[in-house]
Structures are given as C-alpha cells and as structure tokens.
Amino acid sequence: MFPVARAALSLTARGVQRTAVRQAHRKHEPNFHDQYGNLVLLGGAAVFAAVWGYVFTGIGMEWGLSPVGRVTPKEWRE
C-alpha cells in the first residue's frame, strides 16, 4: 500500500509543480476588477451612504433616539 500512496503523492506534487510553472510564465493582463475594482467599491459605498443619509434625514429621525424629556403626556379627555 505504501508504494501506491507514494505514487499518488508524486503525481499530485508533479501536477502542482506544473500548475505553478504555467502560472509563473503566464503574462498577467489587468482585467476589469484590477482596473476599476477599488473605484467601483468606493462608488458603491458613497451611493450607499448617500441613500441612507437621505432616508434618515427625510423621515426626520434624530440621532438621540431616547424620548426622555421630549415626550409629555396629553391632557386626559373625559
């Protein structure tokens, strides 16, 4: 069983070495993500912040969410 396992490991190692050599000699051309990835990410973050900022200010939400001191009871009607 040992020779079979050793042969399998040898084949696996040889395949990994072949892949590493093939990737090392390949010219890496910048793709869309390399060129515009950070720009798209920053643009999305800006749109996200702008939309949620508009939503929070549009509904009149205040950052101090506690109603203590701002809510007074109404007069009782009979």
Side-chain angles (χ1 to χ4, degrees):
M1 192 67 173
F2 181 74
V4 173
R6 187 171 49 187
L9 285 176
S10 174
L11 285 176
T12 303
R14 201 173 306 144
V16 169
Q17 286 173 347
R18 244 186 248 132
T19 303
V21 167
R22 185 172 46 229
Q23 288 179 352
H25 291 299
R26 191 181 87 184
K27 288 186 178 179
H28 178 68
E29 302 153 356
N31 59 11
F32 178 83
H33 301 287
D34 292 332
Q35 290 179 345
Y36 304 109
N38 291 335
L39 187 64
V40 170
L41 182 66
L42 292 175
V47 170
F48 177 84
V51 167
W52 280 109
Y54 176 77
V55 167
F56 280 139
T57 57
I59 62 175
M61 183 175 177
E62 296 177 9
W63 290 111
L65 300 177
S66 174
V68 174
R70 285 187 276 158
V71 177
T72 56
K74 295 181 180 179
E75 293 293 326
W76 184 260
R77 293 183 306 186
E78 290 189 35

